[in-house]
mmCIF file of all heavy atoms in Angstrom:
data_model
loop_
_atom_site.group_PDB
_atom_site.id
_atom_site.type_symbol
_atom_site.label_atom_id
_atom_site.label_comp_id
_atom_site.label_asym_id
_atom_site.label_seq_id
_atom_site.Cartn_x
_atom_site.Cartn_y
_atom_site.Cartn_z
ATOM 1 N N PHE A 220 3.203 1.271 58.166
ATOM 2 C CA PHE A 220 2.377 1.336 59.374
ATOM 3 C C PHE A 220 2.167 2.794 59.783
ATOM 4 O O PHE A 220 1.056 3.212 60.114
ATOM 5 C CB PHE A 220 3.054 0.529 60.489
ATOM 6 C CG PHE A 220 2.217 0.444 61.745
ATOM 7 C CD1 PHE A 220 1.017 -0.247 61.750
ATOM 8 C CD2 PHE A 220 2.628 1.058 62.920
ATOM 9 C CE1 PHE A 220 0.239 -0.315 62.893
ATOM 10 C CE2 PHE A 220 1.862 0.993 64.074
ATOM 11 C CZ PHE A 220 0.666 0.307 64.051
ATOM 12 N N TYR A 221 3.257 3.570 59.692
ATOM 13 C CA TYR A 221 3.180 4.993 60.032
ATOM 14 C C TYR A 221 2.175 5.697 59.118
ATOM 15 O O TYR A 221 1.323 6.465 59.556
ATOM 16 C CB TYR A 221 4.563 5.641 59.902
ATOM 17 C CG TYR A 221 4.557 7.124 60.218
ATOM 18 C CD1 TYR A 221 4.784 7.583 61.507
ATOM 19 C CD2 TYR A 221 4.283 8.055 59.212
ATOM 20 C CE1 TYR A 221 4.757 8.939 61.793
ATOM 21 C CE2 TYR A 221 4.251 9.412 59.496
ATOM 22 C CZ TYR A 221 4.498 9.843 60.786
ATOM 23 O OH TYR A 221 4.461 11.189 61.061
ATOM 24 N N ARG A 222 2.274 5.379 57.807
ATOM 25 C CA ARG A 222 1.380 6.034 56.840
ATOM 26 C C ARG A 222 -0.069 5.635 57.091
ATOM 27 O O ARG A 222 -0.991 6.424 56.934
ATOM 28 C CB ARG A 222 1.779 5.665 55.408
ATOM 29 C CG ARG A 222 3.082 6.331 55.010
ATOM 30 C CD ARG A 222 3.405 6.095 53.581
ATOM 31 N NE ARG A 222 2.603 6.902 52.667
ATOM 32 C CZ ARG A 222 2.673 6.800 51.351
ATOM 33 N NH1 ARG A 222 3.481 5.929 50.793
ATOM 34 N NH2 ARG A 222 1.939 7.569 50.584
ATOM 35 N N LEU A 223 -0.252 4.395 57.522
ATOM 36 C CA LEU A 223 -1.597 3.915 57.834
ATOM 37 C C LEU A 223 -2.182 4.686 59.018
ATOM 38 O O LEU A 223 -3.346 5.089 59.019
ATOM 39 C CB LEU A 223 -1.534 2.420 58.141
ATOM 40 C CG LEU A 223 -2.869 1.699 58.285
ATOM 41 C CD1 LEU A 223 -3.672 1.845 57.000
ATOM 42 C CD2 LEU A 223 -2.636 0.228 58.578
ATOM 43 N N MET A 224 -1.334 4.919 60.024
ATOM 44 C CA MET A 224 -1.790 5.665 61.205
ATOM 45 C C MET A 224 -2.090 7.118 60.830
ATOM 46 O O MET A 224 -3.068 7.708 61.273
ATOM 47 C CB MET A 224 -0.702 5.677 62.309
ATOM 48 C CG MET A 224 -0.375 4.335 62.908
ATOM 49 S SD MET A 224 -1.797 3.654 63.757
ATOM 50 C CE MET A 224 -2.205 2.322 62.728
ATOM 51 N N ALA A 225 -1.198 7.687 59.978
ATOM 52 C CA ALA A 225 -1.349 9.098 59.610
ATOM 53 C C ALA A 225 -2.536 9.307 58.670
ATOM 54 O O ALA A 225 -3.194 10.343 58.706
ATOM 55 C CB ALA A 225 -0.063 9.600 58.959
ATOM 56 N N GLU A 226 -2.783 8.320 57.791
ATOM 57 C CA GLU A 226 -3.863 8.444 56.806
ATOM 58 C C GLU A 226 -4.699 7.167 56.821
ATOM 59 O O GLU A 226 -4.493 6.293 55.977
ATOM 60 C CB GLU A 226 -3.286 8.592 55.392
ATOM 61 C CG GLU A 226 -2.515 9.842 55.108
ATOM 62 C CD GLU A 226 -1.906 9.773 53.708
ATOM 63 O OE1 GLU A 226 -2.592 10.085 52.729
ATOM 64 O OE2 GLU A 226 -0.749 9.363 53.600
ATOM 65 N N PRO A 227 -5.631 7.038 57.782
ATOM 66 C CA PRO A 227 -6.384 5.786 57.891
ATOM 67 C C PRO A 227 -7.130 5.421 56.605
ATOM 68 O O PRO A 227 -7.428 4.270 56.367
ATOM 69 C CB PRO A 227 -7.360 6.047 59.041
ATOM 70 C CG PRO A 227 -6.778 7.188 59.794
ATOM 71 C CD PRO A 227 -6.001 8.008 58.816
ATOM 72 N N LYS A 228 -7.370 6.411 55.710
ATOM 73 C CA LYS A 228 -8.076 6.085 54.480
ATOM 74 C C LYS A 228 -7.248 5.154 53.565
ATOM 75 O O LYS A 228 -7.762 4.589 52.625
ATOM 76 C CB LYS A 228 -8.533 7.337 53.748
ATOM 77 C CG LYS A 228 -7.454 8.234 53.200
ATOM 78 C CD LYS A 228 -8.126 9.357 52.425
ATOM 79 C CE LYS A 228 -7.307 10.467 51.890
ATOM 80 N NZ LYS A 228 -5.943 10.582 51.831
ATOM 81 N N ARG A 229 -5.950 5.002 53.902
ATOM 82 C CA ARG A 229 -5.113 4.091 53.117
ATOM 83 C C ARG A 229 -5.393 2.627 53.455
ATOM 84 O O ARG A 229 -4.855 1.734 52.816
ATOM 85 C CB ARG A 229 -3.625 4.387 53.347
ATOM 86 C CG ARG A 229 -3.198 5.746 52.891
ATOM 87 C CD ARG A 229 -1.701 5.904 53.012
ATOM 88 N NE ARG A 229 -0.996 5.182 51.977
ATOM 89 C CZ ARG A 229 -0.702 5.682 50.788
ATOM 90 N NH1 ARG A 229 -1.053 6.891 50.482
ATOM 91 N NH2 ARG A 229 -0.051 4.958 49.898
ATOM 92 N N MET A 230 -6.207 2.416 54.502
ATOM 93 C CA MET A 230 -6.490 1.058 54.958
ATOM 94 C C MET A 230 -6.939 0.165 53.797
ATOM 95 O O MET A 230 -6.506 -0.974 53.663
ATOM 96 C CB MET A 230 -7.569 1.103 56.047
ATOM 97 C CG MET A 230 -7.994 -0.235 56.578
ATOM 98 S SD MET A 230 -6.690 -1.032 57.495
ATOM 99 C CE MET A 230 -7.152 -0.624 59.142
ATOM 100 N N GLY A 231 -7.827 0.745 52.949
ATOM 101 C CA GLY A 231 -8.359 -0.016 51.808
ATOM 102 C C GLY A 231 -7.231 -0.586 50.971
ATOM 103 O O GLY A 231 -7.257 -1.746 50.570
ATOM 104 N N ARG A 232 -6.209 0.238 50.711
ATOM 105 C CA ARG A 232 -5.106 -0.211 49.864
ATOM 106 C C ARG A 232 -4.205 -1.187 50.599
ATOM 107 O O ARG A 232 -3.733 -2.157 50.045
ATOM 108 C CB ARG A 232 -4.228 0.968 49.486
ATOM 109 C CG ARG A 232 -4.899 2.004 48.657
ATOM 110 C CD ARG A 232 -3.971 3.136 48.723
ATOM 111 N NE ARG A 232 -4.335 4.206 47.849
ATOM 112 C CZ ARG A 232 -3.458 5.092 47.429
ATOM 113 N NH1 ARG A 232 -2.208 4.989 47.767
ATOM 114 N NH2 ARG A 232 -3.831 6.071 46.668
ATOM 115 N N GLN A 233 -3.962 -0.872 51.898
ATOM 116 C CA GLN A 233 -2.947 -1.651 52.602
ATOM 117 C C GLN A 233 -3.448 -3.013 53.064
ATOM 118 O O GLN A 233 -2.656 -3.849 53.452
ATOM 119 C CB GLN A 233 -2.391 -0.839 53.772
ATOM 120 C CG GLN A 233 -1.643 0.372 53.235
ATOM 121 C CD GLN A 233 -0.603 0.892 54.191
ATOM 122 O OE1 GLN A 233 -0.533 0.481 55.324
ATOM 123 N NE2 GLN A 233 0.214 1.808 53.729
ATOM 124 N N ARG A 234 -4.777 -3.218 52.970
ATOM 125 C CA ARG A 234 -5.237 -4.534 53.414
ATOM 126 C C ARG A 234 -4.764 -5.625 52.444
ATOM 127 O O ARG A 234 -4.874 -6.800 52.734
ATOM 128 C CB ARG A 234 -6.746 -4.554 53.614
ATOM 129 C CG ARG A 234 -7.501 -4.355 52.380
ATOM 130 C CD ARG A 234 -8.959 -4.691 52.492
ATOM 131 N NE ARG A 234 -9.462 -4.561 51.145
ATOM 132 C CZ ARG A 234 -10.397 -3.745 50.758
ATOM 133 N NH1 ARG A 234 -11.007 -3.018 51.630
ATOM 134 N NH2 ARG A 234 -10.759 -3.674 49.505
ATOM 135 N N VAL A 235 -4.250 -5.223 51.275
ATOM 136 C CA VAL A 235 -3.732 -6.239 50.346
ATOM 137 C C VAL A 235 -2.375 -6.780 50.802
ATOM 138 O O VAL A 235 -1.933 -7.816 50.298
ATOM 139 C CB VAL A 235 -3.612 -5.699 48.898
ATOM 140 C CG1 VAL A 235 -4.960 -5.286 48.360
ATOM 141 C CG2 VAL A 235 -2.598 -4.568 48.804
ATOM 142 N N LEU A 236 -1.728 -6.112 51.751
ATOM 143 C CA LEU A 236 -0.374 -6.539 52.137
ATOM 144 C C LEU A 236 -0.342 -7.965 52.700
ATOM 145 O O LEU A 236 0.481 -8.779 52.259
ATOM 146 C CB LEU A 236 0.259 -5.556 53.131
ATOM 147 C CG LEU A 236 0.572 -4.165 52.558
ATOM 148 C CD1 LEU A 236 1.152 -3.260 53.623
ATOM 149 C CD2 LEU A 236 1.539 -4.269 51.392
ATOM 150 N N PRO A 237 -1.246 -8.317 53.658
ATOM 151 C CA PRO A 237 -1.213 -9.701 54.156
ATOM 152 C C PRO A 237 -1.529 -10.712 53.055
ATOM 153 O O PRO A 237 -0.933 -11.794 53.012
ATOM 154 C CB PRO A 237 -2.300 -9.737 55.238
ATOM 155 C CG PRO A 237 -2.654 -8.328 55.521
ATOM 156 C CD PRO A 237 -2.203 -7.486 54.373
ATOM 157 N N LEU A 238 -2.427 -10.333 52.142
ATOM 158 C CA LEU A 238 -2.765 -11.241 51.039
ATOM 159 C C LEU A 238 -1.541 -11.458 50.151
ATOM 160 O O LEU A 238 -1.246 -12.581 49.724
ATOM 161 C CB LEU A 238 -3.942 -10.655 50.238
ATOM 162 C CG LEU A 238 -4.446 -11.487 49.066
ATOM 163 C CD1 LEU A 238 -4.818 -12.899 49.505
ATOM 164 C CD2 LEU A 238 -5.653 -10.798 48.407
ATOM 165 N N PHE A 239 -0.821 -10.379 49.899
ATOM 166 C CA PHE A 239 0.405 -10.480 49.100
ATOM 167 C C PHE A 239 1.395 -11.430 49.781
ATOM 168 O O PHE A 239 1.964 -12.322 49.150
ATOM 169 C CB PHE A 239 1.020 -9.085 48.930
ATOM 170 C CG PHE A 239 2.317 -9.077 48.172
ATOM 171 C CD1 PHE A 239 2.335 -9.174 46.791
ATOM 172 C CD2 PHE A 239 3.536 -8.982 48.847
ATOM 173 C CE1 PHE A 239 3.534 -9.169 46.087
ATOM 174 C CE2 PHE A 239 4.742 -8.975 48.147
ATOM 175 C CZ PHE A 239 4.733 -9.062 46.769
ATOM 176 N N ALA A 240 1.559 -11.235 51.102
ATOM 177 C CA ALA A 240 2.511 -12.078 51.847
ATOM 178 C C ALA A 240 2.088 -13.553 51.761
ATOM 179 O O ALA A 240 2.925 -14.450 51.554
ATOM 180 C CB ALA A 240 2.563 -11.632 53.310
ATOM 181 N N TRP A 241 0.808 -13.787 51.840
ATOM 182 C CA TRP A 241 0.282 -15.144 51.784
ATOM 183 C C TRP A 241 0.531 -15.770 50.389
ATOM 184 O O TRP A 241 0.976 -16.912 50.268
ATOM 185 C CB TRP A 241 -1.218 -15.112 52.133
ATOM 186 C CG TRP A 241 -1.954 -16.381 51.932
ATOM 187 C CD1 TRP A 241 -2.982 -16.592 51.077
ATOM 188 C CD2 TRP A 241 -1.731 -17.647 52.609
ATOM 189 N NE1 TRP A 241 -3.408 -17.884 51.165
ATOM 190 C CE2 TRP A 241 -2.661 -18.560 52.095
ATOM 191 C CE3 TRP A 241 -0.826 -18.079 53.572
ATOM 192 C CZ2 TRP A 241 -2.731 -19.885 52.516
ATOM 193 C CZ3 TRP A 241 -0.881 -19.401 53.996
ATOM 194 C CH2 TRP A 241 -1.818 -20.285 53.484
ATOM 195 N N LEU A 242 0.300 -14.991 49.340
ATOM 196 C CA LEU A 242 0.517 -15.497 47.977
ATOM 197 C C LEU A 242 1.996 -15.796 47.726
ATOM 198 O O LEU A 242 2.340 -16.774 47.056
ATOM 199 C CB LEU A 242 0.002 -14.481 46.942
ATOM 200 C CG LEU A 242 -1.515 -14.294 46.901
ATOM 201 C CD1 LEU A 242 -1.899 -13.172 45.944
ATOM 202 C CD2 LEU A 242 -2.210 -15.593 46.482
ATOM 203 N N VAL A 243 2.850 -14.952 48.290
ATOM 204 C CA VAL A 243 4.299 -15.189 48.121
ATOM 205 C C VAL A 243 4.690 -16.481 48.837
ATOM 206 O O VAL A 243 5.445 -17.306 48.312
ATOM 207 C CB VAL A 243 5.123 -13.986 48.653
ATOM 208 C CG1 VAL A 243 6.604 -14.315 48.719
ATOM 209 C CG2 VAL A 243 4.900 -12.766 47.768
#
Side-chain angles (χ1 to χ4, degrees):
F220 185 67
Y221 179 90
R222 289 186 76 184
L223 189 59
M224 295 296 111
E226 294 175 83
K228 66 176 174 9
R229 297 186 75 88
M230 178 67 98
R232 296 167 173 202
Q233 294 204 350
R234 65 166 186 240
V235 299
L236 293 178
L238 181 55
F239 178 78
W241 171 242
L242 292 174
V243 170

